[in-house]
Amino acid sequence: LLCAGRKGGHKGRARQYTSPEEIDAQLQAEKQKAREEEEQEEGGEGATGDPKKEKKSLDSDESDEDDEDYQQKRKGVEGLIDIENPNRVIQTTKKVTQLDLDGPKELSRREREEIEKQKAKERYMKMHLAGKTEQAKADLARLAIIRKQREEAARKKEEERKAKDEAAMAGKRLQSLSLNK
C-alpha cells in the first residue's frame, strides 16, 4: 500500500531485490572468469603472455637480491618527496635463516616490571621467613606474648584443678571420718 504522494522508499527510489538464481549465476560467472585466467597463465607463457610476466620470469635469477632492497609501494606524493626522518623506522623483512632465536629476547616494560615484582616478593618472603623484616619481628613478639599468656593460663588452670582435687580429697576424708565414728 502506497500513499498518494509517495512512489517508493524515502531515498527516492523503489527497492530492487536480487533473486537467489541471479546471485548463483553471478558467482558461477566469476568462477568461470577465474578459471579462464588461470588457464591463460599456465598455457600462455610463451609469445602470447604479458610482457610483464615474461620480464618477471627472466629476472627470477635476480629476485633474491631484489628481496633485500625491496621497499613497499609508496602512497600519494611519498615517491616524489625524499624524506630523511631519523625517527622513522623502515620495516625490513627477514628470512628464516637470518632470525636469531638463541639471542636474548628483549622484554617489554610491563614484562620487566612483572618479573621485578615477583623477584621482590620472593626476596621479601625469604627475609620474612628468616625473621628479618619488621613485620616478622612484630609477629614474633606478638607470638611470644601470646605464648606467655597461654602458659600462665595453663599454669593457673593446673593450680585450680589441684586445689579442687585437694578440696575434694579433704571432703572425702571428712566424710569418711564422720562415717567411721
Side-chain angles (χ1 to χ4, degrees):
L1 297 172
L2 295 174
C3 296
R6 296 189 184 176
K7 292 187 179 180
H10 70 284
K11 295 284 187 175
R13 280 193 186 157
R15 291 188 181 173
Q16 293 180 341
Y17 298 101
T18 309
S19 67
E21 293 84 22
E22 290 177 16
I23 294 173
D24 291 338
Q26 288 175 353
L27 290 173
Q28 288 177 356
E30 288 176 8
K31 287 179 184 177
Q32 184 67 24
K33 197 179 222 182
R35 285 185 202 143
E36 289 174 3
E37 289 176 3
E38 287 178 10
E39 290 173 4
Q40 285 179 353
E41 287 177 6
E42 291 174 1
E45 285 189 3
T48 59
D50 292 340
K52 292 178 185 175
K53 290 180 185 174
E54 288 178 19
K55 185 178 178 185
K56 256 191 182 176
S57 63
L58 293 175
D59 292 341
S60 63
D61 298 335
E62 301 172 21
S63 64
D64 294 336
E65 297 168 8
D66 293 340
D67 287 343
E68 296 172 7
D69 299 331
Y70 174 75
Q71 290 182 353
Q72 293 189 358
K73 188 175 182 182
R74 295 185 174 184
K75 299 175 186 173
V77 292
E78 283 183 0
L80 302 175
I81 303 170
D82 207 18
I83 300 172
E84 292 184 27
N85 185 353
N87 296 328
R88 184 167 184 252
V89 178
I90 299 173
Q91 293 181 345
T92 57
T93 55
K94 290 186 177 181
K95 295 181 180 178
V96 176
T97 56
Q98 295 174 340
L99 291 178
D100 185 21
L101 297 176
D102 297 332
K105 182 184 172 192
E106 293 184 24
L107 301 174
S108 68
R109 179 184 57 85
R110 286 185 180 170
E111 291 171 336
R112 279 196 312 268
E113 288 176 356
E114 186 67 29
I115 291 171
E116 289 172 8
K117 190 185 289 185
Q118 288 176 353
K119 287 181 180 178
K121 195 173 189 178
E122 289 174 8
R123 268 185 270 133
Y124 181 79
M125 288 306 293
K126 285 180 184 176
M127 290 181 68
H128 187 75
L129 291 174
K132 295 181 180 179
T133 62
E134 290 186 24
Q135 185 179 2
K137 290 176 184 175
D139 289 345
L140 291 174
R142 192 169 51 247
L143 287 173
I145 292 170
I146 291 172
R147 254 190 226 118
K148 285 181 184 177
Q149 289 174 350
R150 287 184 181 167
E151 286 174 3
E152 288 175 13
R155 197 177 325 112
K156 284 181 184 177
K157 259 188 184 175
E158 186 67 30
E159 288 174 3
E160 288 176 5
R161 190 175 54 83
K162 284 182 182 178
K164 260 188 184 177
D165 287 344
E166 288 177 14
M169 290 297 280
K172 284 184 181 178
R173 283 186 201 148
L174 285 176
Q175 200 176 31
S176 65
L177 285 176
S178 62
L179 290 175
N180 287 338
K181 283 186 184 181

